[in-house]
């Protein structure tokens, strides 16, 4: 054993002083709190939503119903959006580096160098549904990625509206809008309080409400009837609720002969929309 450990010589005293000084400094120093990035699905806290990504922002800029308050964009993103002079925009726009947007959305969000803060689009009541022959109804699908992907397919296949419940459905957000890739600006969003009552209203308006169910009695392609179709899809895992199953006109399944017998709800929506569009086109 050395003299240092045995007698508390100057070496031991030196280290003890350093440890005490470190403790005192740590106790006296103010706590530095890093402001966390606001998750991309959340707004700035004043009723606005943050939309990001080139397709999403371009569609928002082109939508006369969308009220944009401000923009952050890199020079490259402005060029790709076709904006020569950001000062000419009817809202505040600031040229920034990508890291400044990262601090707002989080580093995992693919913002492509542009973010806007905008007022959310106001959902419409079912009474505002026009004469579209095709709509999509979601029965408590809560994942914004899935809802955004369903929106994208709905617009691609010409559906006139997406109907959701006011509860147990995601609100408009950057995550949902990015997954929709601009489709959010091209389709009516309709919110209802009671889905079963809304389905009855669709029946009265001449819609066949066709619920997708893995145990449906017939294949989807053989189940269409009439000239207006409302495709009804449930959440992954639990599927359609029992009341919804009892209310729809028809339950049908997607024919999947492969080893995997189920699809993500957004993929199932795309397949069903394609089949519905072919049926309507042949009328």
């Amino acid at each position: 054993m050395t003299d240092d450990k045995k007698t508390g010589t100057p070496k031991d005293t030196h280290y003890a002083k350093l440890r005490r000084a470190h403790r005192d400094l740590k106790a006296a120093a103010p706590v530095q709190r890093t402001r966390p990035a606001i998750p991309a699905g959340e707004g700035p806290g004043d009723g606005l939503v943050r939309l990001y990504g080139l397709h999403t922002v371009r569609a928002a800029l082109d939508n006369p119903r969308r009220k944009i308050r401000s923009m952050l964009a890199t020079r490259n993103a402005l060029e790709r959006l076709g904006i020569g002079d950001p000062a000419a925009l009817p809202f505040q726009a600031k040229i920034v580096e990508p890291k400044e947007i990262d601090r707002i959305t989080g580093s995992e969000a693919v913002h492509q160098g542009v973010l806007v803060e905008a007022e959310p689009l106001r959902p419409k009541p079912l009474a505002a549904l026009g004469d579209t022959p095709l709509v999509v109804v979601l029965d408590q699908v809560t994942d914004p990625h899935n809802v955004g992907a369903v929106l994208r397919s709905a617009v691609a296949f010409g559906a006139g509206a997406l109907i959701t419940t006011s509860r147990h459905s995601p609100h408009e957000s950057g995550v949902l809008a990015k997954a929709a890739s601009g489709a959010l600006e091209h389709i009516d969003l309709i919110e209802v309080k009671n889905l079963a009552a809304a389905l009855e209203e669709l029946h009265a308006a001449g819609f066949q409400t066709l619920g997708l169910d893995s145990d449906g009695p017939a294949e989807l392609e053989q189940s269409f009837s009439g000239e207006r179709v409302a495709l009804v899809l449930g959440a992954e895992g639990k599927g359609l609720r029992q009341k919804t199953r009892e209310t729809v006109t028809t339950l049908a399944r997607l024919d999947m002969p492969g080893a995997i017998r189920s699809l993500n709800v957004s993929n199932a929506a795309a397949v069903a929309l394609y089949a519905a569009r072919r049926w309507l086109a042949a009328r």
Side-chain angles (χ1 to χ4, degrees):
M1 183 177 291
T2 67
D3 288 342
D4 290 337
K5 294 183 178 180
K6 180 169 62 179
T7 63
T9 58
K11 182 178 180 181
D12 183 57
T13 303
H14 174 70
Y15 287 140
K17 288 180 178 179
L18 286 176
R19 286 195 295 271
R20 284 196 299 273
H22 177 71
R23 286 198 301 269
D24 292 343
L25 182 63
K26 186 176 181 181
V31 177
Q32 299 293 327
R33 299 190 183 276
T34 302
R35 183 182 179 186
I38 296 177
E42 297 182 10
D46 53 6
L48 302 180
V49 293
R50 288 190 170 111
L51 308 176
Y52 56 87
L54 292 170
H55 291 299
T56 302
V57 171
R58 179 72 270 170
L61 291 171
D62 293 340
N63 183 1
R65 297 187 298 117
R66 175 69 78 178
K67 295 181 180 179
I68 298 175
R69 296 288 186 84
S70 63
M71 171 189 282
L72 298 178
T74 64
R75 292 186 183 278
N76 180 57
L78 288 173
E79 182 178 337
R80 295 177 68 183
L81 287 168
I83 299 173
D85 180 12
L89 293 170
F91 47 81
Q92 182 181 2
K94 181 182 178 182
I95 298 175
V96 298
E97 295 298 320
K99 289 184 179 180
E100 188 165 341
I101 303 176
D102 286 343
R103 284 195 290 269
I104 298 172
T105 65
S107 59
E108 295 183 359
V110 185
H111 54 70
Q112 298 176 295
V114 61
L115 175 146
V116 297
E117 289 185 350
E119 295 183 15
L121 297 173
R122 182 172 298 180
K124 297 182 178 181
L126 187 57
L129 182 66
D131 58 359
T132 177
L134 179 62
V135 299
V136 178
V137 182
L138 297 183
D139 184 11
Q140 296 193 351
V141 178
T142 58
D143 186 334
H145 295 91
N146 280 336
V147 175
V150 170
L151 277 167
R152 185 174 184 176
S153 294
V155 171
F157 288 106
L162 178 78
I163 301 172
T164 64
T165 52
S166 52
R167 297 181 59 192
H168 305 294
S169 298
H171 296 293
E172 183 181 340
S173 67
V175 171
L176 188 154
K178 185 66 169 66
S181 192
L184 186 62
E185 315 294 330
H186 296 285
I187 190 170
D188 285 341
L189 303 177
I190 291 177
E191 278 190 5
V192 298
K193 292 183 178 180
N194 185 303
L195 188 59
L199 292 174
E200 295 291 3
E201 287 189 50
L202 290 173
H203 296 158
F207 279 91
Q208 175 199 22
T209 56
L210 201 159
L212 265 67
D213 188 283
S214 58
D215 295 323
E219 294 179 11
L220 176 66
E221 293 88 339
Q222 309 304 320
S223 301
F224 292 109
S225 64
E227 298 182 356
R228 305 185 85 183
V229 176
L231 296 170
V232 188
L233 297 99
E236 289 187 61
K238 62 182 181 181
L240 299 174
R241 289 176 294 165
Q242 183 61 32
K243 181 64 174 177
T244 305
R245 291 167 54 88
E246 294 171 354
T247 307
V248 296
T249 310
T250 312
L251 286 173
R253 67 180 186 275
L254 296 178
D255 183 32
M256 290 178 283
I260 295 177
R261 304 303 301 273
S262 64
L263 291 175
N264 173 285
V265 63
S266 62
N267 292 333
V271 174
L273 281 161
Y274 174 77
R277 178 51 62 189
R278 286 178 59 86
W279 162 262
L280 293 170
R283 302 301 293 164

